Amino acid sequence: MKSFTINKNDANQRLDKFITKTVPLLPQGLMYKYIRLKRIKVNGKRAEISTRLQVNDLVEMYINDEFFEAAPEKYDFLRASTKLDIIYEDENIILLDKKVGLLSHPDEGEYVDTLITRVERYLYEKGEYDPKGENSFAPALANRIDRNTGGIVITAKNAESLRILNQKIKDRELSKVYLCIAHGYFDKKQATLTAYLKKDEKKNKVAVYDKPRDDAKEIRTRYKVLDEKDNLSLVRVELLTGRTHQIRAHLAHEGHPLLGDGKYGTNALNKEKGYKKQCLYSYRLQFTFTTDAGILNYLNGKCFEAKDVWFERAFKDGTL
């Protein structure tokens, strides 16, 4: 038997979600059976799988020791790089400037050195993250950026901050602005574009249409041309809707694919310019809360920027 006292980072979770994270070796079917048979109890009483856990609740698990995974003596994240570009940090969040080429999360090709494993190592070595001291929580990214895109990523240091950020992102109470370089010159130097986007899950690619279609979602993209030269435009973009690959696909649909974009761009044009790196950066983030943000209320109205966008500097000094 093992027991777990619920702390702040574990609170407000459903019982089954907590067990799945805390005892990953326990099969789901067996977990439901053990809850039903009262071999898993909350505060000494039978609980439902949907029971919401509160701070200081005692979860007792009368199950075989084989299901409890021993904590490793060495953590994989300690093999990650120590390089992090921190824009801002406090007791609840870290704002990171993710560079092009770095994965946000591990995948089948790269497990060790990713943005989140670098964060885990950083906080572990600072003494702010102790995997042995947490039942189910680990530092988490509230938003993610594709490997080939750079920009600001928000890390939550605790579960309460993560829950708040997830909701605020869903409710679009954070404003993100992007910089990009697009092929060609725009007829209108600033405008708000509207179209319809449909995603192909198997190909991980989207298509954009001028008129509504079945299963296509409306997209709205606001842009302003900041500079132009050599048949390229430096453009600031704000997403009024947040869809998969929206900027890349929408601007390509308008005849202005991004420089270096191999998926929606034009390979011949990219080769002509000698660019393989995608020129897209989420460089500006503002917290624009319209409802209560709990422990993160102090962030409301604050704005942060990535100071060194590699292609902006190269565009302006003529080394692009």
Side-chain angles (χ1 to χ4, degrees), residues 57-197:
D57 278 352
L58 182 66
V59 178
E60 297 171 295
M61 302 186 191
Y62 295 86
I63 63 179
N64 294 344
D65 289 340
E66 65 193 74
F67 294 121
F68 294 104
E69 185 177 21
E73 293 183 2
K74 294 184 178 180
Y75 300 106
D76 285 337
F77 60 72
L78 290 177
R79 293 188 286 145
S81 169
T82 58
K83 182 173 176 54
L84 278 177
D85 294 289
I86 297 175
I87 296 173
Y88 171 82
E89 180 179 5
D90 62 30
E91 68 275 15
N92 295 312
I93 70 166
I94 311 175
L95 300 184
L96 300 158
D97 184 357
K98 187 195 84 68
K99 302 304 183 184
V100 174
L102 181 64
L103 280 171
S104 293
H105 292 99
D107 67 6
E108 63 278 2
E110 177 57 69
Y111 179 77
V112 174
D113 191 27
T114 66
L115 186 63
I116 189 58
T117 54
R118 291 184 185 188
V119 169
E120 288 175 328
R121 177 174 182 175
Y122 169 72
L123 292 176
Y124 177 81
E125 291 179 344
K126 281 184 68 180
E128 293 187 28
Y129 171 50
D130 177 13
K132 292 182 179 179
E134 296 286 351
N135 293 322
S136 64
F137 181 78
L141 307 182
N143 66 311
R144 61 187 300 169
I145 293 178
D146 292 341
R147 183 175 203 153
N148 294 325
T149 304
I152 300 176
V153 176
I154 313 170
T155 298
K157 289 186 177 183
N158 52 64
E160 187 174 0
S161 295
L162 181 62
R163 285 192 291 270
I164 293 169
L165 288 167
N166 285 341
Q167 188 62 49
K168 295 303 181 186
I169 291 171
K170 180 180 178 181
D171 294 340
R172 302 197 64 77
E173 293 184 35
L174 280 73
S175 173
K176 292 187 290 183
V177 183
Y178 295 74
L179 281 179
C180 64
I181 295 178
H183 287 286
Y185 298 144
F186 289 69
D187 292 334
K188 294 182 179 180
K189 301 312 175 187
Q190 61 182 33
T192 298
L193 306 173
T194 300
Y196 301 88
L197 180 147

Side-chain angles (χ1 to χ4, degrees), residues 307-320:
K307 299 300 182 184
D308 185 24
V309 179
W310 64 273
F311 58 79
E312 179 187 25
R313 181 180 67 252
F315 189 96
K316 291 181 176 179
D317 64 21
T319 60
L320 187 66

